[in-house]
Coordinates of all heavy atoms in Angstrom, one line a residue:
M81 N 20.3 20.6 -21.6 CA 20.1 21.9 -22.3 C 21.0 22.9 -21.6 O 21.0 23.0 -20.3 CB 18.7 22.3 -22.1 CG 18.3 23.5 -23.0 SD 16.6 24.1 -22.8 CE 15.8 23.2 -24.1
N82 N 22.0 23.6 -22.3 CA 22.8 24.5 -21.7 C 22.1 25.9 -21.5 O 21.0 26.1 -22.1 CB 24.2 24.6 -22.4 CG 24.0 25.2 -23.8 OD1 23.1 26.1 -24.0 ND2 24.8 24.7 -24.8
I83 N 22.8 26.9 -20.9 CA 22.1 28.2 -20.6 C 21.8 28.9 -21.9 O 20.7 29.5 -21.9 CB 23.1 29.0 -19.7 CG1 22.4 30.3 -19.2 CG2 24.4 29.3 -20.4 CD1 21.3 30.2 -18.3
N84 N 22.7 28.8 -22.9 CA 22.3 29.5 -24.2 C 21.1 28.9 -24.8 O 20.3 29.6 -25.4 CB 23.5 29.5 -25.1 CG 24.6 30.4 -24.6 OD1 24.3 31.4 -24.0 ND2 25.8 30.0 -24.9
E85 N 21.0 27.5 -24.7 CA 19.8 26.9 -25.3 C 18.5 27.3 -24.6 O 17.4 27.5 -25.2 CB 19.9 25.4 -25.3 CG 21.0 24.9 -26.3 CD 21.4 23.4 -26.2 OE1 21.3 23.0 -25.0 OE2 21.8 22.9 -27.2
K86 N 18.7 27.4 -23.2 CA 17.5 27.8 -22.4 C 17.1 29.2 -22.7 O 15.9 29.6 -22.9 CB 17.8 27.7 -21.0 CG 17.9 26.2 -20.5 CD 18.2 26.1 -19.0 CE 18.3 24.7 -18.6 NZ 18.7 24.5 -17.2
L87 N 18.1 30.1 -22.9 CA 17.8 31.6 -23.1 C 17.2 31.7 -24.5 O 16.3 32.7 -24.7 CB 19.1 32.4 -23.1 CG 19.7 32.6 -21.7 CD1 21.1 33.2 -21.8 CD2 18.7 33.4 -20.8
S88 N 17.4 30.8 -25.5 CA 16.8 30.9 -26.7 C 15.4 30.5 -26.8 O 14.7 30.7 -27.7 CB 17.6 30.0 -27.7 OG 17.3 28.6 -27.5
T89 N 14.8 30.0 -25.6 CA 13.4 29.7 -25.6 C 12.6 31.0 -25.1 O 11.4 30.9 -25.0 CB 13.1 28.5 -24.6 OG1 13.5 28.9 -23.2 CG2 13.9 27.3 -24.9
L90 N 13.3 32.0 -24.9 CA 12.6 33.2 -24.3 C 12.5 34.4 -25.4 O 13.3 34.4 -26.3 CB 13.4 33.8 -23.1 CG 13.7 32.7 -22.0 CD1 14.6 33.4 -20.9 CD2 12.3 32.4 -21.4
K91 N 11.5 35.2 -25.2 CA 11.5 36.4 -26.1 C 11.3 37.6 -25.1 O 10.8 37.5 -24.0 CB 10.3 36.3 -27.1 CG 8.9 36.2 -26.4 CD 7.8 36.1 -27.5 CE 6.5 35.9 -26.8 NZ 5.4 35.7 -27.7
Y92 N 11.7 38.8 -25.6 CA 11.7 40.0 -24.7 C 10.9 41.1 -25.4 O 11.0 41.3 -26.6 CB 13.1 40.5 -24.5 CG 14.0 39.4 -23.9 CD1 14.7 38.5 -24.8 CD2 14.2 39.3 -22.5 CE1 15.5 37.5 -24.3 CE2 15.1 38.3 -22.0 CZ 15.7 37.4 -22.9 OH 16.5 36.4 -22.3
N93 N 10.2 41.8 -24.6 CA 9.4 43.0 -25.2 C 10.0 44.2 -24.3 O 9.6 44.3 -23.2 CB 7.9 42.8 -25.0 CG 7.2 44.0 -25.6 OD1 7.7 44.8 -26.2 ND2 5.9 44.0 -25.3
K94 N 10.8 45.0 -24.9 CA 11.6 46.0 -24.2 C 10.6 47.1 -23.8 O 9.9 47.7 -24.5 CB 12.7 46.6 -25.1 CG 13.5 47.6 -24.4 CD 14.7 48.1 -25.4 CE 15.5 49.1 -24.6 NZ 16.6 49.7 -25.5
D95 N 10.7 47.4 -22.5 CA 10.0 48.5 -21.9 C 10.6 49.9 -22.2 O 11.9 49.9 -22.6 CB 9.9 48.4 -20.3 CG 8.8 49.0 -19.7 OD1 8.1 49.8 -20.4 OD2 8.5 48.7 -18.5
K96 N 9.9 50.9 -22.2 CA 10.6 52.2 -22.6 C 11.6 52.6 -21.4 O 12.5 53.3 -21.8 CB 9.4 53.3 -22.7 CG 8.8 53.2 -24.0 CD 7.6 54.3 -24.1 CE 6.5 53.9 -23.2 NZ 5.2 54.6 -23.3
E97 N 11.3 52.3 -20.2 CA 12.2 52.7 -19.2 C 12.7 51.5 -18.5 O 12.0 50.5 -18.4 CB 11.5 53.6 -18.1 CG 11.0 55.0 -18.7 CD 10.2 55.8 -17.6 OE1 10.1 55.3 -16.5 OE2 9.8 56.9 -18.0
S98 N 13.9 51.6 -17.8 CA 14.5 50.5 -17.1 C 13.7 50.2 -15.8 O 13.3 51.1 -15.1 CB 15.9 50.8 -16.8 OG 16.5 49.7 -16.0
H99 N 13.5 48.9 -15.6 CA 12.9 48.6 -14.3 C 13.9 48.3 -13.2 O 13.6 47.9 -12.1 CB 12.0 47.3 -14.5 CG 12.8 46.1 -15.0 ND1 13.3 45.9 -16.2 CD2 13.0 45.0 -14.3 CE1 13.9 44.8 -16.2 NE2 13.7 44.2 -15.1
L100 N 15.2 48.5 -13.6 CA 16.3 48.3 -12.7 C 17.1 49.6 -12.6 O 17.5 50.2 -13.6 CB 17.3 47.2 -13.3 CG 16.7 45.9 -13.6 CD1 17.6 45.1 -14.4 CD2 16.3 45.2 -12.4
T101 N 17.2 50.2 -11.5 CA 18.0 51.4 -11.3 C 18.9 51.4 -10.1 O 18.6 50.7 -9.1 CB 17.0 52.7 -11.2 OG1 16.1 52.4 -10.0 CG2 16.1 52.9 -12.4
V102 N 20.0 52.1 -10.3 CA 21.0 52.1 -9.2 C 21.5 53.6 -9.0 O 21.3 54.4 -9.9 CB 22.2 51.2 -9.6 CG1 21.8 49.9 -9.7 CG2 23.0 51.8 -10.7
D103 N 22.1 53.9 -7.9 CA 22.8 55.1 -7.6 C 24.3 54.8 -8.0 O 24.9 54.1 -7.4 CB 22.7 55.4 -6.1 CG 23.4 56.8 -5.8 OD1 24.3 57.2 -6.6 OD2 23.1 57.3 -4.7
N104 N 24.7 55.4 -9.1 CA 26.0 55.1 -9.6 C 27.1 55.6 -8.7 O 28.2 55.0 -8.7 CB 26.2 55.8 -11.0 CG 27.3 55.1 -11.8 OD1 27.2 53.9 -12.1 ND2 28.4 55.9 -12.0
E105 N 26.9 56.6 -7.8 CA 27.8 57.0 -6.9 C 28.2 55.9 -5.9 O 29.4 55.7 -5.5 CB 27.4 58.3 -6.1 CG 27.3 59.5 -7.1 CD 28.6 59.7 -7.9 OE1 29.6 59.8 -7.2 OE2 28.4 59.9 -9.1
I106 N 27.2 55.1 -5.6 CA 27.4 54.0 -4.6 C 28.2 52.9 -5.4 O 29.1 52.3 -4.8 CB 26.1 53.5 -4.1 CG1 25.5 54.5 -3.1 CG2 26.2 52.1 -3.3 CD1 24.0 54.2 -2.7
C107 N 27.8 52.7 -6.7 CA 28.5 51.6 -7.5 C 30.0 52.0 -7.6 O 30.8 51.1 -7.6 CB 27.9 51.5 -8.8 SG 26.2 50.9 -8.8
K108 N 30.3 53.3 -7.7 CA 31.7 53.7 -7.8 C 32.5 53.2 -6.7 O 33.8 52.9 -6.8 CB 31.8 55.2 -7.9 CG 31.5 55.7 -9.3 CD 31.6 57.2 -9.3 CE 31.2 57.8 -10.6 NZ 31.3 59.3 -10.6
Q109 N 31.9 53.2 -5.5 CA 32.6 52.8 -4.2 C 32.6 51.3 -4.0 O 33.1 50.8 -3.0 CB 32.0 53.5 -3.0 CG 31.8 55.0 -3.2 CD 33.2 55.6 -3.5 OE1 34.1 55.3 -2.8 NE2 33.1 56.7 -4.3
C110 N 31.9 50.5 -4.9 CA 31.7 49.1 -4.7 C 33.0 48.3 -5.1 O 33.4 48.5 -6.2 CB 30.5 48.6 -5.5 SG 30.1 46.9 -5.2
N111 N 33.5 47.4 -4.3 CA 34.7 46.8 -4.5 C 34.5 45.5 -5.5 O 35.2 45.4 -6.5 CB 35.4 46.4 -3.3 CG 35.9 47.5 -2.5 OD1 36.4 48.5 -3.1 ND2 35.9 47.5 -1.2
D112 N 33.5 44.7 -5.1 CA 33.5 43.4 -5.8 C 32.5 43.4 -7.0 O 32.5 42.6 -7.9 CB 33.1 42.3 -4.9 CG 31.9 42.6 -4.1 OD1 31.3 43.6 -4.2 OD2 31.6 41.7 -3.2
R113 N 31.5 44.4 -7.0 CA 30.5 44.5 -8.1 C 29.9 43.1 -8.4 O 29.9 42.7 -9.6 CB 31.1 45.2 -9.3 CG 31.5 46.6 -9.0 CD 31.8 47.5 -10.1 NE 32.0 48.9 -9.6 CZ 33.3 49.4 -9.7 NH1 34.3 48.7 -10.3 NH2 33.5 50.6 -9.2
V114 N 29.3 42.5 -7.4 CA 28.7 41.2 -7.5 C 27.7 41.1 -8.6 O 27.5 40.0 -9.2 CB 28.3 40.7 -6.2 CG1 27.0 41.5 -5.7 CG2 28.0 39.2 -6.2
C115 N 27.0 42.2 -8.9 CA 26.0 42.2 -9.9 C 26.5 41.8 -11.2 O 25.8 41.2 -12.1 CB 25.2 43.5 -9.9 SG 26.3 44.9 -10.4
T116 N 27.8 42.1 -11.5 CA 28.3 41.9 -12.9 C 28.8 40.4 -13.0 O 29.1 40.0 -14.0 CB 29.6 42.8 -13.1 OG1 30.5 42.4 -12.2 CG2 29.2 44.2 -13.1
H117 N 28.7 39.6 -11.8 CA 29.1 38.2 -11.8 C 27.9 37.3 -11.7 O 27.8 36.2 -12.2 CB 30.1 37.9 -10.7 CG 31.3 38.8 -10.8 ND1 32.2 38.7 -11.8 CD2 31.7 39.7 -9.9 CE1 33.1 39.6 -11.5 NE2 32.9 40.2 -10.5
I118 N 26.9 37.8 -11.0 CA 25.8 36.9 -10.5 C 24.7 36.8 -11.6 O 24.0 35.8 -11.7 CB 25.2 37.3 -9.2 CG1 24.5 36.1 -8.6 CG2 24.4 38.6 -9.3 CD1 24.0 36.3 -7.1
C119 N 24.5 37.8 -12.4 CA 23.4 37.8 -13.3 C 23.5 36.8 -14.4 O 24.5 36.8 -15.2 CB 23.2 39.2 -13.9 SG 21.9 39.3 -15.2
P120 N 22.5 35.9 -14.6 CA 22.6 34.8 -15.6 C 22.5 35.4 -17.0 O 22.8 34.8 -18.0 CB 21.5 33.9 -15.3 CG 20.6 34.7 -14.5 CD 21.3 35.7 -13.8
A121 N 22.0 36.7 -17.2 CA 21.8 37.2 -18.5 C 22.7 38.3 -18.9 O 22.6 39.0 -19.8 CB 20.3 37.8 -18.6
D122 N 23.8 38.5 -18.0 CA 24.9 39.5 -18.2 C 24.2 40.9 -18.4 O 24.6 41.6 -19.3 CB 25.7 39.1 -19.5 CG 26.6 38.0 -19.1 OD1 26.9 37.7 -18.0 OD2 27.0 37.2 -20.1
V123 N 23.3 41.2 -17.6 CA 22.6 42.5 -17.7 C 23.7 43.7 -17.3 O 23.6 44.7 -17.9 CB 21.4 42.6 -16.9 CG1 20.8 44.0 -16.6 CG2 20.3 41.7 -17.5
Y124 N 24.4 43.4 -16.2 CA 25.3 44.4 -15.7 C 26.7 44.3 -16.2 O 27.3 43.2 -16.2 CB 25.3 44.4 -14.2 CG 24.0 44.5 -13.5 CD1 23.3 43.4 -13.1 CD2 23.4 45.8 -13.3 CE1 22.0 43.5 -12.5 CE2 22.2 45.9 -12.7 CZ 21.4 44.8 -12.4 OH 20.2 44.9 -11.7
E125 N 27.3 45.5 -16.5 CA 28.7 45.6 -16.9 C 29.2 46.9 -16.4 O 28.6 47.9 -16.5 CB 28.8 45.5 -18.4 CG 30.2 45.6 -18.9 CD 30.4 45.6 -20.4 OE1 29.4 45.4 -21.1 OE2 31.4 45.8 -21.0
W126 N 30.5 46.8 -15.8 CA 31.1 48.0 -15.3 C 31.9 48.6 -16.5 O 32.8 47.9 -17.1 CB 32.0 47.8 -14.1 CG 32.6 49.0 -13.6 CD1 33.9 49.4 -13.8 CD2 31.9 50.0 -12.9 NE1 34.0 50.7 -13.2 CE2 32.8 51.1 -12.7 CE3 30.6 50.2 -12.5 CZ2 32.5 52.3 -12.0 CZ3 30.2 51.4 -11.8 CH2 31.2 52.4 -11.6
S127 N 31.7 49.9 -16.8 CA 32.5 50.6 -17.8 C 33.5 51.4 -17.2 O 33.2 52.4 -16.5 CB 31.6 51.5 -18.6 OG 32.3 52.3 -19.4
E128 N 34.8 51.1 -17.4 CA 36.0 51.8 -16.9 C 36.0 53.2 -17.6 O 36.4 54.3 -17.1 CB 37.3 51.2 -17.0 CG 37.4 49.9 -16.2 CD 37.6 50.1 -14.8 OE1 37.8 51.3 -14.3 OE2 37.4 49.2 -14.0
E129 N 35.5 53.2 -18.9 CA 35.6 54.4 -19.7 C 34.7 55.5 -19.2 O 35.0 56.7 -19.1 CB 35.1 54.0 -21.1 CG 35.5 55.0 -22.2 CD 35.0 54.5 -23.5 OE1 35.2 53.3 -23.9 OE2 34.5 55.4 -24.3
T130 N 33.5 55.1 -18.8 CA 32.5 56.1 -18.3 C 32.4 56.1 -16.8 O 31.6 57.0 -16.2 CB 31.1 55.9 -18.9 OG1 30.6 54.6 -18.5 CG2 31.2 56.0 -20.4
D131 N 33.1 55.2 -16.1 CA 33.0 55.1 -14.7 C 31.6 54.9 -14.2 O 31.1 55.6 -13.2 CB 33.7 56.4 -14.0 CG 34.2 56.0 -12.6 OD1 34.5 54.9 -12.3 OD2 34.3 57.0 -11.8
S132 N 30.9 54.0 -14.9 CA 29.5 53.8 -14.6 C 29.1 52.4 -14.8 O 29.7 51.7 -15.6 CB 28.6 54.8 -15.3 OG 28.7 54.6 -16.7
L133 N 27.9 52.1 -14.2 CA 27.4 50.7 -14.5 C 26.4 50.7 -15.7 O 25.5 51.5 -15.7 CB 26.6 50.3 -13.2 CG 26.3 48.9 -13.1 CD1 27.4 47.9 -13.0 CD2 25.3 48.6 -11.9
I134 N 26.7 49.9 -16.6 CA 25.9 49.7 -17.8 C 24.7 48.7 -17.4 O 25.1 47.6 -16.8 CB 26.6 49.2 -19.0 CG1 27.7 50.2 -19.4 CG2 25.8 48.9 -20.2 CD1 28.7 49.7 -20.4
I135 N 23.5 49.0 -17.7 CA 22.4 48.1 -17.3 C 21.6 47.8 -18.5 O 20.8 48.6 -19.0 CB 21.5 48.7 -16.2 CG1 22.3 49.1 -15.0 CG2 20.4 47.7 -15.8 CD1 21.6 49.8 -13.9
R136 N 21.8 46.6 -19.1 CA 21.0 46.2 -20.2 C 19.7 45.5 -19.8 O 19.5 44.2 -19.9 CB 21.9 45.2 -21.1 CG 23.2 45.8 -21.6 CD 23.9 44.8 -22.5 NE 25.1 45.5 -22.9 CZ 26.3 45.2 -22.3 NH1 26.4 44.5 -21.2 NH2 27.4 45.8 -22.7
Y137 N 18.8 46.4 -19.3 CA 17.6 45.9 -18.6 C 16.7 45.1 -19.5 O 15.9 44.2 -19.1 CB 16.8 47.0 -18.0 CG 16.2 48.0 -19.0 CD1 14.9 47.7 -19.4 CD2 16.9 49.0 -19.5 CE1 14.4 48.6 -20.4 CE2 16.4 49.8 -20.5 CZ 15.1 49.6 -20.9 OH 14.5 50.5 -21.8
E138 N 16.8 45.3 -20.8 CA 16.0 44.6 -21.8 C 16.2 43.1 -21.8 O 15.5 42.3 -22.4 CB 16.1 45.2 -23.2 CG 17.4 45.0 -23.8 CD 18.5 46.2 -23.5 OE1 18.3 46.8 -22.4 OE2 19.4 46.3 -24.2
N139 N 17.4 42.6 -21.3 CA 17.8 41.2 -21.3 C 17.4 40.6 -20.0 O 17.7 39.4 -19.8 CB 19.2 41.1 -21.6 CG 19.7 41.6 -22.9 OD1 18.8 41.6 -23.8 ND2 20.9 41.9 -23.1
C140 N 16.8 41.3 -19.1 CA 16.5 40.8 -17.7 C 15.6 39.6 -17.7 O 14.5 39.7 -18.4 CB 16.0 41.9 -16.8 SG 15.5 41.4 -15.2
L141 N 15.9 38.5 -16.9 CA 15.0 37.4 -16.8 C 14.1 37.5 -15.6 O 13.3 36.5 -15.4 CB 15.9 36.1 -16.6 CG 17.0 35.9 -17.8 CD1 17.9 34.8 -17.4 CD2 16.2 35.6 -19.0
E142 N 14.2 38.6 -14.8 CA 13.3 38.8 -13.8 C 13.4 37.8 -12.6 O 12.4 37.4 -12.0 CB 11.8 38.9 -14.2 CG 11.6 40.1 -15.2 CD 10.3 40.1 -16.0 OE1 9.3 39.6 -15.4 OE2 10.3 40.6 -17.1
C143 N 14.6 37.3 -12.4 CA 14.9 36.3 -11.4 C 15.0 37.0 -10.0 O 14.8 36.3 -9.0 CB 16.1 35.5 -11.8 SG 17.6 36.3 -11.5
G144 N 15.4 38.2 -9.9 CA 15.6 38.9 -8.6 C 16.9 38.7 -7.9 O 17.2 39.2 -6.8
A145 N 17.8 37.9 -8.5 CA 19.0 37.6 -7.8 C 19.9 38.8 -7.6 O 20.6 38.8 -6.5 CB 19.8 36.6 -8.6
C146 N 20.0 39.7 -8.5 CA 20.8 40.9 -8.3 C 20.3 41.7 -7.1 O 21.2 42.3 -6.4 CB 20.8 41.7 -9.6 SG 19.2 42.3 -10.2
K147 N 19.1 41.9 -6.9 CA 18.6 42.7 -5.8 C 19.1 42.0 -4.4 O 19.4 42.8 -3.5 CB 17.1 42.7 -5.9 CG 16.5 43.6 -4.8 CD 15.0 43.6 -4.8 CE 14.5 44.4 -3.7 NZ 13.1 44.3 -3.5
I148 N 19.0 40.8 -4.4 CA 19.4 40.0 -3.1 C 20.9 40.1 -3.0 O 21.5 40.3 -1.9 CB 18.9 38.6 -3.2 CG1 17.4 38.5 -3.2 CG2 19.5 37.7 -2.0 CD1 16.8 37.2 -3.5
A149 N 21.7 40.0 -4.1 CA 23.1 39.9 -4.0 C 23.8 41.2 -3.8 O 24.9 41.2 -3.2 CB 23.7 39.3 -5.4
C150 N 23.3 42.3 -4.2 CA 23.9 43.6 -3.9 C 23.9 43.9 -2.4 O 22.9 44.3 -1.8 CB 23.2 44.7 -4.7 SG 23.8 46.4 -4.3
D151 N 25.1 43.9 -1.8 CA 25.2 44.0 -0.3 C 25.0 45.5 0.1 O 24.9 45.8 1.2 CB 26.5 43.4 0.2 CG 27.7 44.1 -0.4 OD1 27.6 45.0 -1.2 OD2 28.8 43.7 0.1
K152 N 25.0 46.4 -0.9 CA 24.8 47.9 -0.6 C 23.3 48.2 -0.7 O 22.8 49.3 -0.5 CB 25.5 48.8 -1.6 CG 27.0 48.4 -1.8 CD 27.9 49.2 -1.0 CE 29.4 48.9 -1.3 NZ 29.7 47.4 -1.4
K153 N 22.5 47.1 -1.1 CA 21.0 47.4 -1.3 C 20.8 48.6 -2.3 O 19.9 49.4 -2.1 CB 20.3 47.7 0.0 CG 20.5 46.6 1.1 CD 19.8 45.3 0.7 CE 20.2 44.2 1.7 NZ 20.2 42.9 1.1
N154 N 21.6 48.5 -3.3 CA 21.6 49.7 -4.3 C 20.7 49.5 -5.5 O 20.8 50.3 -6.4 CB 23.0 50.0 -4.6 CG 23.1 51.4 -5.4 OD1 22.3 52.2 -5.1 ND2 24.1 51.4 -6.2
I155 N 20.1 48.3 -5.7 CA 19.3 48.1 -6.8 C 17.8 48.3 -6.6 O 17.3 47.5 -5.7 CB 19.6 46.7 -7.4 CG1 21.1 46.6 -7.8 CG2 18.7 46.4 -8.7 CD1 21.5 45.2 -8.3
K156 N 17.3 49.2 -7.2 CA 15.8 49.4 -7.1 C 15.2 48.5 -8.2 O 15.5 48.7 -9.4 CB 15.4 50.8 -7.3 CG 15.8 51.8 -6.1 CD 15.0 53.1 -6.1 CE 15.3 53.9 -4.9 NZ 16.7 54.5 -5.0
W157 N 14.4 47.6 -7.7 CA 13.9 46.5 -8.7 C 12.4 46.5 -8.6 O 11.8 46.5 -7.6 CB 14.4 45.2 -8.2 CG 14.4 44.0 -9.1 CD1 15.6 43.4 -9.6 CD2 13.4 43.2 -9.5 NE1 15.2 42.4 -10.4 CE2 13.8 42.2 -10.3 CE3 12.0 43.2 -9.2 CZ2 13.1 41.3 -11.0 CZ3 11.2 42.3 -9.9 CH2 11.8 41.3 -10.7
R158 N 11.8 46.5 -9.9 CA 10.4 46.3 -10.0 C 10.2 45.5 -11.2 O 11.1 45.3 -12.0 CB 9.6 47.7 -10.1 CG 10.0 48.4 -11.3 CD 9.1 49.7 -11.5 NE 9.6 50.5 -12.6 CZ 9.4 50.3 -13.9 NH1 8.7 49.3 -14.3 NH2 9.8 51.1 -14.8
Y159 N 8.9 44.9 -11.4 CA 8.7 44.2 -12.6 C 8.4 45.3 -13.8 O 8.1 46.3 -13.5 CB 7.5 43.4 -12.5 CG 7.6 42.1 -11.8 CD1 7.1 41.9 -10.5 CD2 8.4 41.1 -12.4 CE1 7.5 40.8 -9.8 CE2 8.6 39.9 -11.6 CZ 8.1 39.8 -10.4 OH 8.3 38.6 -9.6
P160 N 8.8 44.9 -15.0 CA 8.5 45.8 -16.2 C 7.0 46.0 -16.2 O 6.2 45.2 -15.7 CB 9.0 45.0 -17.3 CG 10.0 44.0 -16.8 CD 9.5 43.6 -15.4
S161 N 6.7 47.1 -16.9 CA 5.2 47.5 -16.9 C 4.5 46.5 -17.8 O 5.1 45.7 -18.5 CB 5.0 48.8 -17.5 OG 5.6 48.9 -18.8
C162 N 3.2 46.4 -17.7 CA 2.3 45.5 -18.3 C 2.7 45.1 -19.7 O 2.9 46.1 -20.6 CB 0.9 46.1 -18.3 SG -0.3 44.9 -18.8
E163 N 2.7 43.9 -20.1 CA 3.0 43.4 -21.4 C 4.5 43.5 -21.9 O 4.9 43.1 -23.0 CB 2.2 44.1 -22.5 CG 0.7 44.0 -22.4 CD 0.2 42.5 -22.4 OE1 0.8 41.8 -23.3 OE2 -0.6 42.1 -21.6
H164 N 5.3 44.1 -20.9 CA 6.7 44.2 -21.2 C 7.5 43.1 -20.4 O 7.0 42.6 -19.5 CB 7.2 45.6 -20.9 CG 6.6 46.6 -21.8 ND1 5.6 47.4 -21.5 CD2 7.0 47.0 -23.1 CE1 5.2 48.2 -22.4 NE2 6.0 48.0 -23.5
G165 N 8.8 43.0 -20.8 CA 9.6 42.1 -20.1 C 9.8 40.7 -20.9 O 9.6 40.7 -22.0
V166 N 10.1 39.6 -20.0 CA 10.4 38.4 -20.6 C 9.3 37.4 -20.6 O 8.4 37.5 -19.7 CB 11.7 37.8 -19.9 CG1 11.3 37.4 -18.4 CG2 12.2 36.6 -20.6
K167 N 9.2 36.6 -21.7 CA 8.1 35.6 -21.8 C 8.7 34.4 -22.5 O 9.7 34.5 -23.3 CB 6.9 36.1 -22.5 CG 6.2 37.2 -21.9 CD 4.9 37.6 -22.6 CE 4.1 38.6 -21.8 NZ 4.8 39.7 -21.2
F168 N 8.0 33.2 -22.3 CA 8.4 32.1 -23.1 C 7.9 32.3 -24.5 O 6.8 32.7 -24.8 CB 7.9 30.8 -22.5 CG 8.6 30.3 -21.3 CD1 8.0 30.4 -20.1 CD2 9.9 29.8 -21.4 CE1 8.7 30.0 -18.9 CE2 10.6 29.3 -20.3 CZ 9.9 29.5 -19.0
K169 N 8.7 31.8 -25.5 CA 8.3 32.0 -26.9 C 7.0 31.1 -27.1 O 6.2 31.5 -27.9 CB 9.4 31.5 -27.9 CG 10.5 32.4 -28.1 CD 11.6 31.9 -29.0 CE 12.7 32.9 -29.2 NZ 13.8 32.3 -29.8
N170 N 7.0 30.0 -26.5 CA 5.8 29.1 -26.7 C 4.8 29.1 -25.6 O 4.1 28.2 -25.4 CB 6.3 27.6 -26.9 CG 7.1 27.5 -28.2 OD1 6.8 28.2 -29.1 ND2 8.2 26.8 -28.1
G171 N 4.9 30.2 -24.7 CA 4.1 30.3 -23.6 C 2.7 31.0 -23.8 O 2.5 31.5 -24.9
Ligands
SF4_434 S1 26.8 45.2 -6.5 FE1 25.3 46.9 -6.1 S2 26.6 48.7 -5.5 FE2 27.9 47.1 -6.4 S3 28.1 47.7 -8.6 FE3 26.4 46.3 -8.4 S4 24.6 47.5 -8.1 FE4 26.3 48.8 -7.7
SF4_435 S1 16.8 40.0 -12.0 FE1 18.1 38.3 -12.5 S2 18.3 38.5 -14.8 FE2 17.4 40.4 -14.1 S3 19.2 41.7 -13.9 FE3 18.8 40.7 -11.8 S4 20.1 38.9 -11.8 FE4 20.0 39.6 -13.9

């Protein structure tokens, strides 16, 4: 089963507010932006146009890898509020 097939077994209930927040001023100074490479769900994308980090939190798999990988400790991470976030379709 490839990653896209695995992702298709999940469903998402979008929270009203992001459970992932960053200080964008710190992200502006970040050279490698590892969050944009490590996330299996492509949640993070750097926008040259707005000079800011786009965070598609509604796609988050809640694996926690980004929080560990950010060497600036700039990702404030919590679980989505009750009944929100990711679940298995058949779970
Ligand atoms: S790795 Fe951390 S500091 Fe760098 S862009 Fe991502 S969240 Fe911002
Ligand atoms: S917790 Fe995992 S899936 Fe969610 S944004 Fe971080 S790396 Fe991506």
Side-chain angles (χ1 to χ4, degrees):
M81 190 183 269
N82 65 35
I83 186 70
N84 288 328
E85 289 169 332
K86 288 179 180 174
L87 289 173
S88 72
T89 65
L90 303 172
K91 61 182 178 183
Y92 304 85
N93 185 8
K94 185 178 179 180
D95 207 346
K96 281 179 284 192
E97 293 180 3
S98 177
H99 63 289
L100 309 165
T101 54
V102 300
D103 178 343
N104 198 65
E105 294 306 309
I106 294 174
C107 295
K108 283 182 185 177
Q109 308 300 321
C110 184
N111 291 325
D112 52 3
R113 299 198 175 105
V114 67
C115 61
T116 64
H117 305 294
I118 198 170
C119 175
D122 288 334
V123 166
Y124 301 98
E125 180 186 348
W126 183 255
S127 169
E128 296 291 348
E129 194 178 324
T130 61
D131 206 23
S132 66
L133 191 65
I134 298 167
I135 305 175
R136 298 185 184 92
Y137 69 92
E138 66 274 19
N139 296 335
C140 176
L141 304 172
E142 299 167 28
C143 70
C146 56
K147 183 182 177 192
I148 295 167
C150 174
D151 60 356
K152 315 260 182 320
K153 306 292 177 214
N154 189 33
I155 298 176
K156 290 199 177 70
W157 198 107
R158 63 173 173 79
Y159 283 106
S161 62
C162 187
E163 300 299 321
H164 295 96
V166 66
K167 291 187 174 44
F168 284 109
K169 281 180 183 168
N170 298 320

